[in-house]
Amino acid sequence: MSQIIEVKVPDIGDFAEVPVIELYVKVGDSIKVDDAIATLESDKATMDVPSTVAGTVKEVLVQLGAKVGEGTVLIKVETGASAPAASSPPLQGEGQGGDGSNAQRSPTHPPDETAKQPTKPPNNGGQVSAYPSLPLEGGGAKAPATLAPALPAGAKVHASPSVRAYARELGVDLNKVPATGPKNRIVKEDLTKYVKGVMSGATAAPVAAGASLGGGLDLLPWPKVDFAKFGEIEVKPLSRIKKISGQNLSRNWVMIPAVTYHEDADITDIEAFRVLLNKENEKGGASTGLSTGSAKLTMLAFLMKACVKGLQKFPEFNSSLDGDNLVLKKYFNIGFAADTPNGLVVPVVKNVDKKSVFELAQESGDLAKQARDGKLKPADMSGACFTISSLGGIGGTYFAPIVNAPEVAILGVNKSAMKPVWDGKAFVPRLVLPLSLTADHRVIDGALATRFNVYIAQLLADFRRVAL
């Protein structure tokens, strides 16, 4: 005999209003026990809510963006009399609490399941990590539970969407990862431990073409130092943004054979033009009939238009590597690095080729404000073809930005400065903008990178070229 069962949010710790950022089911779907229903994201963790029952979804009671807490009903499921049920499943979390405690508490399992549960790795003395913690080097950690053997090729892998996304990001074949979760499910600790084994050389694991994890580097373990014995210290956890971006930047720095090329652009005329337009805009655009609205034209808007022309002229820069294939994109989305109180984020302006510099100034300003306020959505930070990282407001001369994979190049921009430039007869003062282009050498060689850099400098020196 069938019955309707409510599937609720289990114990998620001390969180009361956690937003739903992903929904994986709809009315009419058939689900099994442990299938992911939704993903919740707090300021400390991202977690998947698995189903406690098997059956057919009869009603979905939450929407994307809804805030939920322990006991909130997510869905109603029609089950058969023999449908399995679990009283309170663990969430598949992506982080830990900022105070070093777990972002969610492990529920009590029924007696007949207790013996099947793996030993949970220790929390390493309260250290906070963007990903589940690993046993400490040199002893100190409990022996891990016996791992289930890796799955044969073609076998069905049991893993949550967040674990699958994490595996895709690292280029790991989940069939090679031993599972310790309930019902032979791969959890994030399994994936992290597998990657650590490959990086240390303890595990020999083939990976997809173009996605080597660097197992042959034979890296030494990270040094453990008691800094307090040298003097007074203060320990502060990294922000969530820094933890996540740190993982990505480390991977990009190790995996991408990047080279940085430098070029100076004469922006004397375009800067004068920009200042003139802003003055006219303050007066209501009386002279030109054009108005930028509330936003002032920035050099970033001109840089975006110049970069789009560069991507169109040199299409290799508007591409991504996919194994042995090069994916050439026909759209032009530009990301720009934005400094926020919690760390660096990269909002993305879409379809830059179809927008004016006025529209680009307005949109980039709005996105930068949302970044500072912590209100950017995942869609606001995805889909970039090329990134601009500008330090012009701070200073500096040149720097080597890290390529933002899966892009193949990034343009670094420093502070402009007046310099004496020889015009053939005399030295004249010109406003010079240093450009630093970092490119993936697997796709872009030195000659192509230099041509791109020179072309961008030419466009900025005479912006009329953009119309050609």
Side-chain angles (χ1 to χ4, degrees):
M1 180 177 178
S2 64
Q3 56 180 328
I4 302 296
I5 296 180
E6 296 179 341
V7 180
K8 303 178 180 180
V9 176
D11 184 359
I12 55 174
D14 299 326
F15 302 103
E17 293 187 345
V18 182
V20 177
I21 63 170
E22 293 285 352
L23 272 175
Y24 303 111
V25 298
K26 62 182 182 297
V27 174
D29 284 353
S30 296
I31 62 172
K32 301 184 293 294
V33 174
D34 291 335
D35 280 355
I37 298 172
T39 298
L40 314 181
E41 183 179 59
S42 72
D43 59 342
K44 294 182 179 179
T46 300
M47 57 204 87
D48 292 325
V49 181
S51 177
T52 59
V53 296
T56 303
V57 178
K58 303 301 290 183
E59 190 175 355
V60 178
L61 300 174
V62 294
Q63 298 177 338
L64 286 177
K67 294 186 177 181
V68 300
E70 181 181 355
T72 300
V73 179
L74 298 175
I75 61 174
K76 292 184 179 180
V77 179
E78 183 178 17
T79 68
S82 60
S87 59
S88 182
L91 299 182
Q92 301 298 328
E94 292 189 7
Q96 290 182 318
D99 57 358
S101 61
N102 290 338
Q104 67 276 345
R105 304 185 188 117
S106 297
T108 303
H109 296 280
D112 59 340
E113 293 288 333
T114 304
K116 301 178 183 179
Q117 303 304 318
T119 303
K120 185 174 182 179
N123 66 2
N124 291 350
Q127 294 180 10
V128 179
S129 173
Y131 299 100
S133 52
L134 296 167
L136 291 172
E137 298 285 348
K142 297 180 181 179
T146 303
L147 299 181
L151 296 174
K156 185 176 181 180
V157 175
H158 295 283
S160 69
S162 62
V163 171
R164 291 178 185 276
Y166 186 29
R168 287 194 299 271
E169 180 180 336
L170 296 174
V172 174
D173 182 357
L174 285 176
N175 285 287
K176 307 296 183 184
V177 180
T180 64
K183 303 181 186 299
N184 205 34
R185 188 179 183 87
I186 296 175
V187 295
K188 211 147 201 181
E189 288 90 340
D190 300 332
L191 189 55
T192 309
K193 184 174 182 179
Y194 174 82
V195 172
K196 180 185 177 185
V198 174
M199 293 294 290
S200 66
T203 302
V207 294
S212 170
L213 291 172
L217 295 179
D218 195 21
L219 301 175
L220 293 173
W222 196 260
K224 300 294 293 182
V225 179
D226 180 10
F227 299 103
K229 70 181 182 181
F230 302 111
E232 183 179 354
I233 64 171
E234 178 185 2
V235 179
K236 296 175 63 177
L238 286 173
S239 69
R240 184 169 179 270
I241 289 176
K242 287 185 177 180
K243 288 186 288 186
I244 294 174
S245 63
Q247 295 283 340
N248 291 328
L249 291 171
S250 296
R251 178 201 59 200
N252 297 349
W253 177 259
V254 171
M255 301 308 303
I256 298 175
V259 182
T260 302
Y261 308 86
H262 304 289
E263 182 68 29
D264 286 342
D266 185 339
I267 62 167
T268 310
D269 296 336
I270 195 173
E271 175 62 12
F273 181 57
R274 185 188 71 84
V275 172
L276 174 64
L277 287 178
N278 282 333
K279 287 181 178 179
E280 291 176 349
N281 184 59
E282 291 174 359
K283 298 176 182 179
S287 300
T288 62
L290 299 174
S291 174
T292 64
S294 59
K296 286 189 174 182
L297 275 179
T298 61
M299 186 55 64
L300 176 62
F302 290 101
L303 281 165
M304 285 184 174
K305 294 298 287 187
C307 286
V308 165
K309 288 293 290 185
L311 298 180
Q312 291 171 335
K313 185 176 178 65
F314 303 99
E316 293 89 345
F317 282 82
N318 196 26
S319 69
S320 290
L321 272 174
D322 183 14
D324 293 330
N325 297 320
L326 190 64
V327 180
L328 296 167
K329 303 159 193 173
K330 305 300 183 182
Y331 53 90
F332 301 91
N333 301 338
I334 304 293
F336 64 97
D339 188 23
T340 76
N342 293 319
L344 200 66
V345 295
V346 183
V348 180
V349 179
K350 308 293 174 57
N351 301 315
V352 174
D353 57 318
K354 301 176 182 178
K355 296 173 181 176
S356 70
V357 288
F358 304 125
E359 294 171 316
L360 295 176
Q362 181 71 57
E363 187 171 344
S364 60
D366 292 342
L367 286 170
K369 184 179 186 304
Q370 291 177 40
R372 291 190 296 270
D373 296 341
K375 295 181 179 180
L376 284 178
K377 304 178 183 64
D380 296 328
M381 297 182 285
S382 61
C385 305
F386 185 85
T387 296
I388 299 172
S389 179
S390 176
L391 298 177
I394 303 173
T397 305
Y398 297 96
F399 72 109
I402 299 174
V403 175
N404 189 20
E407 300 159 35
V408 296
I410 180 172
L411 182 67
V413 183
N414 283 98
K415 185 177 182 180
S416 58
M418 293 298 296
K419 294 184 178 181
V421 177
W422 181 257
D423 68 355
K425 296 180 180 179
F427 285 101
V428 294
R430 305 295 290 179
L431 186 61
V432 175
L433 180 67
L435 304 177
S436 300
L437 176 74
T438 299
D440 187 336
H441 212 293
R442 295 172 297 179
V443 179
I444 298 165
D445 60 28
L448 183 60
T450 301
R451 290 189 181 100
F452 181 90
N453 236 1
V454 169
Y455 184 62
I456 298 298
Q458 290 173 344
L459 294 176
L460 294 176
D462 187 353
F463 207 69
R464 294 173 299 180
R465 295 173 181 266
V466 172
L468 298 179

